[in-house]
Amino acid sequence: MSFEGGSYDRALTRAVEHAREWLDSVPDRPVRPQRSAADLLAGFGGPLPDRPTAPEDVVDLLATLADPGLMAMQSGRFFGWVIGGTLPAALAADWLVSAWDQNCGLRYATPAAAAAEEAAAAWLLDLLGLPAGAGVGFVTGATMANFAGLAAARSSVLSRSGWDLGRDGLNGGPRIHVLAGAERHDTIDLALRYLGLGAPQPVAADDQGRIRVTALAESLEAVDRDAPVIVCLQAGNVHSGAFDPLAEAIEIAHRHGAWVHVDGAFGLWAAATPALRGLTAGLEAADSWATDAHKTLNVPYDCGIAIVSDPLAMRSALGVRASYLIAEESGPGDPQDRVPELSRRARGVPVWAALRSLGRTGVAELVEGLASHARTMAEGIAAVEGAHVINDVVYTQICVSFGDDARTRAVTARLIDDGTAWMSGSRWHGQDVLRVSVSNWSTDDEDVRRSVDAVRRAVEATTV
Ligand SMILES: Cc1ncc(COP(=O)(O)O)c(C=O)c1O
């Protein structure tokens, strides 16, 4: 196909210019978007033009239409949900991934992508202290990393019970008992739903959301010794940042023959720093792990990482065989053996670039910096009249109440409207909270100071 202006040059040049303008604007623009999706739709929508438009004009139009509706998630003062920014090397690598346009399911077909991802995988296992031969798959996020780990768990525990999931499916097979902490992330339930395993049996958690080991032991005792069992643990509670007592919990679960999956969407990275590694003690003994690179590692969306200690369990749960696919039958296998989809972008390449750019000490500094800014932020907010930090700030997450729920909601709304910083609201332990997640590499002392000031202003503005 050819049409006027159908070359890459001008379109890419304009894209670089718009990207630069956007990045330059991030430190000073309001963090919140200025227009709603409904407002923006009029510009994006309307009837599809009959005639082609030059690519560079499309790029200009896109940048202009999108600008007022962009959330400055890359801002050092964005603290919503658990969302990282973008390291320069990772962003640039991600552009190359799009330019190369490798469909990287097969090692034979896309060797550069496979090699970069395999190298990144080896570095990750080393940094996180996980078994060197584990299977590593680059998925869209921790949701799918949980799915992939639990898919391997499902077929493996059934196979140990003498049931062939691949051949016979779930119908008529032994019931799999899934136990998970009461404060597991909701995507564990979602992954289990996708896998046809139903809701997990909740195990009591303590005041920080950590699974209670005694309750886990009691729940396991109540399960038939020969039944297939999966235990889901957590490294990093989305509200408190707390870590389950992994060493003890994994030991007990294994004693009962269970497969242990750890959701460490952002918390797994604590293992990469000497200062915080103690939070994840015992982590390496689990059977599968889920984490995100688009959170703590600060690569662009999207990138999650599924890790399974037994690569064959991962491959038999996820891999696809077809006559037209040239499979790697020996060696590390194909990238598609380690993710739920056959076709995908080479999203492990920005991970390689981020790790190569930071180095081992850079990763440790990044993670420690986030935790240290979280502590400073918590101290600053706690000093604001009427603010109560209600969790132990052990990692990157802070929950704040401003007295009653209505007041907490009012302060949150006012803070977001102010535009200096962005923090999300939530409900935790029966009360409304302002949630702060320090996950952006670029957050500095000044961002923390300005954000605490913004909280103070929001409190003052809502004081009656
Ligand atoms: C503990 C935990 N697990 C899973 C997820 C889901 O991650 P994603 O949105 O990358 O799929 C999150 C998201 O914040 C999380 O905090």
Side-chain angles (χ1 to χ4, degrees):
M1 174 189 175
S2 77
F3 55 89
E4 200 195 332
S7 80
Y8 291 113
D9 276 359
R10 277 171 293 180
L12 287 179
T13 304
R14 295 301 293 138
V16 170
E17 286 164 8
H18 287 299
R20 285 221 168 100
E21 271 169 39
W22 157 252
L23 292 170
D24 288 346
S25 78
V26 164
D28 300 316
R29 64 192 284 139
V31 180
R32 61 173 159 72
Q34 282 125 77
R35 305 274 299 276
S36 69
D39 285 350
L40 296 166
L41 191 55
F44 279 109
L48 178 67
D50 284 335
R51 306 288 308 152
T53 306
E56 62 271 23
D57 293 343
V58 175
V59 173
D60 285 344
L61 186 65
L62 175 62
T64 309
L65 289 171
D67 188 85
L70 293 173
M71 171 81 93
M73 287 183 170
Q74 278 148 311
S75 164
R77 296 184 306 284
F78 179 85
F79 303 104
W81 301 287
V82 187
I83 291 185
T86 319
L87 288 164
L91 173 57
D94 200 59
W95 286 1
L96 285 179
V97 167
S98 290
W100 293 335
D101 193 24
Q102 305 284 286
N103 178 353
C104 65
L106 299 176
R107 198 167 189 258
Y108 159 83
T110 52
E117 290 195 343
E118 283 167 27
W123 288 342
L124 282 167
L125 295 176
D126 181 34
L127 280 170
L128 301 174
L130 300 179
V136 179
F138 293 95
V139 291
T140 50
T143 303
M144 289 316 286
N146 280 329
F147 171 86
L150 290 168
R154 180 182 65 166
S155 35
S156 184
V157 295
L158 283 176
S159 154
R160 279 188 228 152
S161 296
W163 186 264
D164 184 339
L165 178 77
R167 192 190 57 206
D168 299 324
L170 284 175
N171 288 342
R175 174 172 167 225
I176 300 177
H177 296 259
V178 185
L179 276 54
E183 290 206 25
R184 65 196 175 275
H185 194 267
D186 299 276
T187 54
I188 289 288
D189 295 52
L190 182 62
L192 293 171
R193 200 172 347 129
Y194 290 159
L195 291 163
L197 296 180
Q201 185 184 328
V203 180
D206 68 13
D207 64 334
Q208 297 301 309
R210 292 171 294 227
I211 200 166
R212 285 188 190 277
V213 173
T214 46
L216 176 63
E218 279 162 24
S219 301
L220 284 164
E221 283 300 333
V223 176
D224 181 26
R225 276 276 153 184
D226 301 324
V229 185
I230 299 171
V231 170
C232 301
L233 300 176
Q234 181 166 256
N237 177 296
V238 78
H239 286 102
S240 66
F243 291 67
D244 284 348
L246 296 173
E248 272 181 281
I250 294 171
E251 208 265 315
I252 289 169
H254 278 168
R255 224 185 302 139
H256 283 79
W259 175 290
V260 180
H261 173 77
V262 179
D263 175 4
F266 59 98
L268 219 62
W269 295 91
T273 104
L276 297 165
R277 194 168 290 146
L279 293 168
T280 63
L283 178 73
E284 66 285 354
D287 302 289
S288 57
W289 304 264
T291 192
D292 264 321
H294 58 216
K295 292 185 168 62
T296 314
L297 188 62
N298 281 255
V299 308
Y301 275 81
D302 46 36
C303 186
I305 303 163
I307 307 171
V308 178
S309 61
D310 174 0
L312 290 180
M314 192 173 208
R315 182 179 187 167
S316 65
L318 301 171
V320 62
R321 296 283 164 271
S323 59
Y324 76 103
L325 302 174
I326 301 159
E328 288 263 331
E329 294 302 351
S330 58
D334 284 304
Q336 60 90 3
D337 288 333
R338 302 183 281 268
V339 295
E341 58 276 275
L342 174 59
S343 295
R344 69 173 173 90
R345 71 191 272 102
R347 61 171 63 86
V349 170
V351 174
W352 179 89
L355 296 176
R356 187 72 173 75
S357 153
L358 291 168
R360 186 183 298 278
T361 54
V363 174
E365 273 167 32
L366 165 66
V367 183
E368 281 166 30
L370 301 178
S372 148
H373 285 311
R375 282 193 300 276
T376 315
M377 177 92 86
E379 282 161 19
I381 294 178
V384 173
E385 176 96 42
H388 309 281
V389 173
I390 60 168
N391 65 308
D392 297 341
V393 181
V394 294
Y395 192 51
T396 53
Q397 309 294 107
I398 310 165
C399 278
V400 191
S401 157
F402 295 90
D404 61 82
D405 288 349
R407 181 142 173 70
T408 300
R409 282 199 298 274
V411 172
T412 305
R414 183 71 195 207
L415 176 92
I416 288 173
D417 195 45
D418 174 88
T420 306
W422 209 98
M423 301 170 182
S424 37
S426 183
R427 251 186 110 64
W428 190 49
H429 292 177
Q431 61 182 319
D432 278 28
V433 291
L434 175 71
R435 264 188 76 254
V436 187
S437 176
V438 184
S439 302
N440 191 304
W441 71 281
S442 72
T443 298
D444 61 17
D445 294 348
E446 180 62 6
D447 287 320
V448 172
R449 192 194 60 70
R450 286 181 62 190
S451 302
V452 171
D453 280 353
V455 172
R456 184 175 300 108
R457 273 198 306 281
V459 168
E460 285 164 5
T462 48
T463 303
V464 279

